[in-house]
Amino acid sequence: MILPDLSRATVAELSAGLTARQFSSLELAEAYLARIAAAQPTLNAFVTVDPDGARAAAKAADTARAEGKSGALLGIPLAQKDLFMTEGLRTTCSSKMLANFVAPYDAHIVTALKQAGSVLLGKTAMDEFAMGSSTETSFFGVVRNPWQPDAVPGGSSGGSAAAVAAGLTPAATGSDTGGSIRQPASFCGITGIKPTYGICSRYGMVAFASSLDQAGPMARSAEDCALLLTAMAGHDGRDATSLPRPKEDYSRELATPPSAKPLEGVRIGLPDVFFGDGVDAPVVAAIEAALVELCALGATTVPVALPNLGYSVPTYYVLAPAEASSNLSRFDGVRYGHRAAQYNDLSDMYQKTRAEGFGDEVKRRILVGTYVLSHGYYDAYYLKAQKVRRLIADDFQAAFAQCDVILGPTVPTVAPLLGAQSQDPIKMYLNDIFTIGANLAGLPAMSVPCGFAPNGLPVGMQLQGPYFSEARLLNIAHRFQQATDWHKRTPKGMNHE
Ligand code: GLN
C-alpha cells in the first residue's frame, strides 16, 4: 500500500490511486478514520463518526472495483454536514433539539453520493440549524480553525470546512443559505460552491430558509467540487423547487488542454461595493493579486454596479428568520426530537420543549421571524424585503449583461478569533454582506483560496455567475488553481500519521 499524504490529497488524486490499485478503499477509509480520531480532541469537526458504516461501504466499493466497476467517487471517503438526513445515523443539526434524532431515510444528495460509490465517514458540526457564521453555536461545542486553533472555522458549515482543511476527509458537503459554504471555505482555505437555487434537491436537508437553502460541495480544489457536484445535482420530484433540467457534467470544461491564455474572453465584473472601506487591507491585497493573475491568464475586467446590494443584509435578516420561524415550528416535542421531561399541559409542553431544545441564536431568529410575519408588521418588513430581494436580483441581471462573472472577496475579513463576535450578533450578520446577494438572487457562487493575511489565515475570493454557470465558474477557478498554489497549502501540524 502506498498512501499519498492525506493532509493534501485531492479526490481526483485518490481516485487515480484507487484505479491504479495503489491502495484499497478500505485502507483509505481506515487512514482517514485514524486522522479524524487524532484531530477530534482539538478541532471537534465531527458530531458523529461512523467507523463501521465507513468500513462496510469501503469494502463494498473495493468489491465493486474488483468486479470491474469504476467511477470518480467510487471508494472515496466523504463527510456530510449534519443537516442532511442519513438513514440509521443520527442527524442533529448541532442542536439539543435533535441530539438523538436518527433519520429514517437518506437525503437526496446523500443517496446520490452513495450511489456514486462514496464512503460516508461521518457527520460534521455546524452552527445550530445552520444559523450563524462561526460554528460557535453548535450544541456539541465549538469547532476550531486548523490554521489557527484560537480562530473560528467560519459557519455554518464550519465542521465540513475544518475537516477538509485538516485532511480529515478529502471533501464534504455543506449547505448555503446566506454564505455557509463560501464563508467557511474562505476562512479555512478550501474551495466551495453554492449552485444555482434548485440544482441540488433539498429533499432530506433540514430546512432553515427554504427559498434560500442550497446544498453544495466543499473540497481542496475546483476540480474536486466539480466531481462532487456532478453526482449531487439533478432533478428530484420529491422537492418541488428542484429544477427539471438534464443531468450535467460539471467537469466538462476542465478537460480542455491548458493553454497560455485559458481565460481569454472572460469578462470579470468588479462592483465597487466589494472594494469599499469595510474590507480589511490583507483581503484587498490578496484579491488584487488574484486579479493580476486572472488577467495574465487572459481575462479582462469591467466595472459593474450592484446599487442595491447594500440592502442585502437587512433584507436577508428579515426573510431568513421569517422562513425559519415557520420551518422550525415542526420541532414541537410531539413528532420527533427533544421533549421536556416535565410539563403541566400541552401548551406548557410546547413551551418547555422549545425553551430547552433551542439555543439563543435559534430563538432570536424565531422571535424576529414571527415578528416580521405578524399582522401589522408583515407589509412593513416581510413584503418590503421581498420587493428589495427582487431589486437585488435585477441588479445582478443587469451586471451580467456586461460581464461573465463577478469577482470580489468572499468575506471582508479573515477568520476572527473564537468569541470575538459571538456576543454581538449584528456585527456577525454584517460580515455576510458579500455572500447573501447570491442567495437572494438564487445565483451560483463559489469561494476559491487566493492568499493569506500576515497572521497566516487564508483569504478567499468569490466568483459569482449567471444562473446555471457552475461549469464555467468551476473552470475559471480551475485555471486559477493550475496557475497558483494557494489551494495546495496546508495548515501546519495536520500530519496525524
Ligand atoms: N451566516 C448566515 C446566517 O447566519 C448564513 C447561514 C447559512 O448560510 N446557513 O444566517
Side-chain angles (χ1 to χ4, degrees):
M1 160 174 87
I2 327 157
L3 269 184
D5 175 359
L6 298 187
S7 68
R8 62 187 71 228
T10 64
V11 171
E13 288 160 7
L14 294 173
S15 199
L18 286 168
T19 306
R21 301 277 195 273
Q22 286 168 355
F23 43 84
S24 70
S25 175
L26 184 59
E27 287 164 337
L28 197 56
E30 293 290 3
Y32 277 111
L33 288 168
R35 291 177 66 83
I36 294 171
Q40 192 61 9
T42 43
L43 297 181
N44 195 30
F46 282 79
V47 174
T48 304
V49 185
D50 185 20
D52 294 343
R55 286 182 190 119
K59 280 184 200 155
D62 284 332
T63 306
R65 268 195 201 269
E67 287 166 355
K69 300 216 172 64
S70 61
L73 300 182
L74 182 57
I76 297 291
L78 296 178
Q80 292 281 358
K81 183 175 181 177
D82 207 14
L83 52 47
F84 294 107
M85 303 288 191
T86 44
E87 187 180 349
L89 194 63
R90 75 183 171 148
T91 297
T92 71
C93 288
S94 280
S95 178
K96 181 179 177 186
M97 189 60 97
L98 292 175
N100 298 311
F101 175 67
V102 176
Y105 61 93
D106 280 335
H108 178 82
I109 65 142
V110 172
T111 305
L113 288 168
K114 281 185 181 171
Q115 280 172 352
S118 69
V119 171
L120 178 59
L121 295 168
K123 309 289 291 288
T124 57
M126 50 189 276
D127 278 299
E128 186 182 2
F129 283 104
M131 299 171 188
S133 309
S134 65
T135 315
E136 287 167 293
T137 68
S138 169
F139 176 64
F140 300 98
V142 299
V143 175
R144 290 172 186 276
N145 189 317
W147 292 91
Q148 192 177 306
D150 57 353
V152 302
S156 64
S157 314
S160 286
V164 173
L168 313 183
T169 177
T173 58
S175 69
D176 193 313
T177 305
S180 280
I181 288 175
R182 292 160 285 156
Q183 186 258 29
S186 176
F187 282 1
C188 289
I190 66 162
T191 307
I193 182 164
K194 177 200 96 70
T196 306
Y197 182 82
I199 287 284
C200 287
S201 166
R202 291 181 297 109
Y203 178 79
M205 175 167 88
V206 178
F208 163 12
S210 312
S211 78
L212 302 157
D213 298 342
Q214 259 303 284
M218 304 172 76
R220 306 192 71 82
S221 67
E223 185 184 19
D224 284 3
C225 284
L227 294 174
L228 263 77
L229 187 59
T230 300
M232 292 164 69
H235 180 242
D236 171 26
R238 298 170 299 183
D239 169 5
T241 60
S242 168
L243 294 167
R245 290 168 55 81
K247 266 296 237 187
E248 267 189 66
D249 174 4
Y250 294 99
S251 307
R252 63 183 185 272
E253 293 192 22
L254 277 47
T256 48
S259 64
K261 297 252 182 244
L263 300 183
E264 191 92 75
V266 174
R267 295 164 304 162
I268 298 176
L270 301 175
D272 52 8
V273 285
F274 283 179
F275 298 87
D277 285 346
V279 189
D280 283 359
V283 174
V284 176
I287 301 294
E288 282 175 352
L291 270 172
V292 171
E293 187 68 50
L294 289 163
C295 291
L297 296 171
T300 52
T301 62
V302 45
V304 293
L306 295 174
N308 294 296
L309 195 76
Y311 301 118
S312 63
V313 172
T315 303
Y316 171 89
Y317 280 99
V318 169
L319 297 178
E323 294 187 30
S325 73
S326 162
N327 275 325
L328 270 61
S329 65
R330 75 192 60 175
F331 301 105
D332 57 5
V334 176
R335 284 163 290 189
Y336 36 68
H338 178 73
R339 179 187 296 173
Q342 279 164 5
Y343 46 86
N344 300 325
D345 54 22
L346 183 63
S347 170
D348 192 40
M349 190 279 279
Y350 288 152
Q351 287 178 35
K352 290 208 170 96
T353 294
R354 289 166 69 80
E356 292 169 11
F358 291 135
D360 287 350
E361 184 59 28
V362 173
K363 286 178 187 156
R364 190 178 292 127
R365 308 274 178 127
I366 293 173
L367 285 172
V368 171
T370 308
Y371 180 82
V372 300
L373 289 174
S374 59
H375 183 70
Y377 293 106
Y378 180 91
D379 287 1
Y381 294 107
Y382 183 77
L383 203 62
K384 188 75 156 189
Q386 289 288 28
K387 290 178 181 169
V388 180
R389 179 179 190 173
R390 164 57 58 196
L391 293 178
I392 292 169
D394 288 348
D395 281 357
F396 277 105
Q397 287 307 105
F400 287 128
Q402 294 165 47
C403 66
D404 303 298
V405 286
I406 290 175
L407 186 141
T410 306
V411 198
T413 65
V414 293
L417 295 182
L418 280 160
Q421 290 181 352
S422 48
Q423 299 314 316
D424 188 349
I426 303 286
K427 194 166 177 203
M428 193 156 333
Y429 298 169
L430 287 172
N431 271 336
D432 294 337
I433 174 78
F434 297 151
T435 48
I436 280 174
N439 301 81
L440 290 171
L443 295 166
M446 68 185 295
S447 183
V448 185
C450 71
F452 290 85
N455 66 3
L457 286 167
V459 177
M461 68 173 172
Q462 180 174 224
L463 294 168
Q464 305 184 78
Y467 299 113
F468 313 120
S469 64
E470 287 80 4
R472 181 147 220 215
L473 292 181
L474 289 161
N475 185 40
I476 295 171
H478 178 61
R479 301 303 163 190
F480 180 77
Q481 291 183 335
Q482 284 181 320
T484 60
D485 69 352
W486 303 115
H487 63 298
K488 292 188 177 157
R489 314 265 179 111
T490 50
K492 281 196 195 74
M494 284 305 142
N495 227 333
H496 296 287
E497 271 106 327

